[in-house]
Amino acid sequence: MRDIVFTRMSGWIPNVIREDGELQLMLGAGADANHEPRTFTFSISEAHLAVIREDLARHLLLWSAVLPLCDAAGTRGRLDENAATALLDTILLGEPADVDALFRRIRWDRSRLIAHGADIGLLERGQVCAAMRTATETSNGKRAQEYHADRRRAERGAVLGPLDAAILRFTGRYLHGATVPRRIPDAVDPALLPEVMRVIATAEQACAGMRIGRDPRRGSRATDRRDWHRMEAAVEAAVRRAHPELVDDAVRTVSFLRCSEAAARSRNTPMEDDEDAVGLSVDVGGSARKTVLSFTDDKGVEKKWLRDSPRSAAAEFWEFVADRSAADNEVFTIEDEEMGEGIQLHLYADSIARITTLRKGDGRSDPQYRVEYRLVDGIGGYRNLVSAFVRGGYAALEQHGPWMSDVAEFERARRRRNAQ
């Protein structure tokens, strides 16, 4: 028969129960092999119960000291009841100096005490009893999280000033550096918010007119890493120049904010608008705009584009690439069968080939082709070449050289580039 003798408002603070006539402290900690919470108990006396009832600070200190023993029990082991019982007299009945001395010798859970309002400065100086004068029965888990985040920063030499901390709170990255930043003005002290907004304004001015385009080679929602790095560098340089007092954590979170916002806009932009935003100005060289095009990938899948399609050829092609691109599918072709010309993108090698038919096969002889190669500078280079071809064909690519017909020469050029 188990009866609850004493419990506090927070269900996590250990309860006192009576089981088969014996007083026991009961607490939940850790989890078993099935990820279900584990419950531990060990015996206490009436004198211990009296202190637990009246002294919240001592109750919390006992909890903090017992939790590491529960952790040591793991998913299946038993609590070391002798070790737990040995803590009782000193923590609950001992003099403050004796309690402080004990906590210098044992493992204890600092975060629990901080979450319940302990004075952090006194805790770090080893004055645990004095630190618990500010203890509260309610828990503030965020306070403990912020403490550990500050500890991690301090370990790598980063100490935040008030404005640094406000910027991290504004972007939601104070606790976790891996969090995608967003704008949370309500998280900032109103007195510091104008300063935070001045820093954000500096970043916005630095990347005005810049964009982060999509990279269909890596999927329908992937964005261009080069664009990201360019914007990141521009923002960080401007913010460091205008606000030299900021630590790296604050500067980087501002640049991450601006880059992630630009990337999100790009992902949510229709492919046609995305093409327009690149700002391509292609001289089609007097050739007629294409009327029928065939898109194929390295797996033999084909898609047709017709001139009366509601979407542009470039938009249709890049959507085809985004849907089909994979580690084993990195060669894509656009062909104008009527004109006998096309281009082939080698995404694995950052290169492209333009192909034109010199003579069609007639059953007695094979067709003859002219094939020329060119290195490509990232997704931006591919976009320029694809747009030029779908607007003006083979001839429109002439200005986008140099083109190499000698395969050995092209391979040497590719090796030289890769060695840089």
Side-chain angles (χ1 to χ4, degrees):
M1 183 69 177
R2 174 181 292 181
D3 297 314
I4 296 178
V5 176
F6 177 73
T7 186
R8 291 194 182 273
M9 183 188 309
S10 170
W12 286 105
I13 300 176
N15 298 324
V16 177
I17 64 170
R18 192 180 300 275
E19 190 167 30
D20 298 329
E22 182 182 19
L23 283 177
Q24 294 184 334
L25 193 74
M26 182 177 71
L27 69 156
D32 62 19
N34 296 318
H35 307 289
E36 295 293 331
R38 294 201 69 189
T39 300
F40 300 92
T41 61
F42 61 97
S43 298
I44 65 171
S45 70
E46 293 286 351
H48 300 142
L49 171 59
V51 176
I52 288 171
R53 284 184 185 275
E54 300 300 325
D55 196 329
L56 170 65
R58 299 266 182 158
H59 192 180
L60 293 173
L61 286 169
L62 178 62
W63 186 27
S64 172
V66 173
L67 280 171
L69 299 178
C70 299
D71 292 338
T75 59
R76 299 186 182 187
R78 294 176 58 84
L79 176 69
D80 186 342
E81 294 187 28
N82 291 332
T85 302
L87 298 170
L88 292 169
D89 284 350
T90 302
I91 295 177
L92 296 179
L93 306 176
E95 294 295 325
D98 295 331
V99 177
D100 290 347
L102 173 67
F103 272 70
R104 287 193 288 270
R105 299 194 306 269
I106 64 171
R107 289 179 56 215
W108 50 286
D109 191 319
R110 188 184 304 261
S111 64
R112 299 289 175 174
L113 302 184
I114 292 172
H116 281 272
D119 184 295
I120 294 173
L122 291 174
L123 279 185
E124 293 185 335
R125 291 195 292 272
Q127 298 173 263
V128 293
C129 287
M132 297 305 293
R133 291 173 188 155
T134 55
T136 61
E137 191 166 338
T138 56
S139 174
N140 181 355
K142 186 176 180 182
R143 186 171 186 257
Q145 290 178 318
E146 290 184 352
Y147 168 77
H148 287 295
D150 289 337
R151 284 282 295 260
R152 290 193 296 271
R153 292 189 190 96
E155 288 170 358
R156 52 186 173 82
V159 179
L160 302 182
L163 182 55
D164 300 311
I167 289 171
L168 293 178
R169 294 183 195 282
F170 178 85
T171 58
R173 286 165 51 83
Y174 191 96
L175 298 181
H176 304 290
T179 302
V180 176
R182 58 197 189 282
R183 301 187 185 218
I184 318 172
D186 291 345
V188 180
D189 181 342
L192 286 171
L193 186 57
E195 291 186 62
V196 172
M197 297 313 298
R198 278 194 289 273
V199 176
I200 301 300
T202 299
E204 291 171 340
Q205 292 166 8
C207 61
M210 300 178 73
R211 66 184 297 277
I212 296 178
R214 278 185 286 183
D215 188 346
R217 299 173 299 176
R218 298 188 294 117
S220 60
R221 292 183 60 78
T223 51
D224 188 350
R225 291 192 183 101
R226 291 190 181 190
D227 285 351
W228 181 292
H229 293 320
R230 277 193 290 268
M231 183 177 290
E232 180 181 60
V235 170
E236 290 188 8
V239 171
R240 285 195 170 97
R241 188 166 52 249
H243 307 278
E245 74 282 5
L246 294 178
V247 301
D248 285 347
D249 284 19
V251 174
R252 283 195 292 265
T253 201
V254 171
S255 69
F256 192 5
L257 174 70
R258 294 300 297 136
C259 290
S260 61
E261 288 176 338
R265 284 194 297 273
S266 181
R267 292 188 189 100
N268 294 319
T269 299
M271 192 67 77
E272 290 87 353
D273 295 339
D274 183 59
E275 287 292 313
D276 293 340
V278 177
L280 295 174
S281 176
V282 180
D283 180 359
V284 298
S287 299
R289 188 181 292 267
K290 297 299 183 183
T291 57
V292 181
L293 292 172
S294 174
F295 310 147
T296 57
D297 65 4
D298 211 21
K299 301 291 187 180
V301 174
E302 182 178 13
K303 181 178 181 179
K304 292 284 188 182
W305 175 85
L306 304 176
R307 187 170 187 173
D308 60 0
S309 170
R311 307 181 66 202
S312 71
E316 290 270 10
F317 172 72
W318 286 120
E319 184 174 274
F320 179 71
V321 172
D323 290 342
R324 299 288 306 162
S325 180
D328 61 346
N329 194 23
E330 296 186 289
V331 177
F332 291 84
T333 301
I334 309 176
E335 185 178 2
D336 182 338
E337 295 178 3
E338 182 180 351
M339 296 296 295
E341 57 189 29
I343 56 174
Q344 188 175 72
L345 286 63
H346 313 128
L347 303 183
Y348 61 91
D350 279 342
S351 64
I352 192 170
R354 65 172 182 171
I355 306 163
T356 187
T357 304
L358 300 178
R359 187 182 67 196
K360 295 183 178 180
D362 57 9
R364 291 173 297 180
S365 61
D366 293 332
Q368 290 186 348
Y369 302 100
R370 177 189 294 126
V371 182
E372 297 169 295
Y373 303 91
R374 181 190 186 282
L375 298 174
V376 179
D377 187 19
I379 188 63
Y382 277 123
R383 285 188 182 278
N384 274 300
L385 293 167
V386 167
S387 292
F389 177 76
V390 300
R391 296 181 187 192
Y394 184 95
L397 296 171
E398 193 63 39
Q399 63 181 307
H400 295 279
W403 295 92
M404 291 169 270
S405 56
D406 186 290
V407 175
E409 178 189 0
F410 170 70
E411 285 299 322
R412 286 193 294 272
R414 191 161 69 89
R415 286 195 293 271
R416 285 195 299 271
R417 181 194 62 185
N418 293 344
Q420 292 176 353

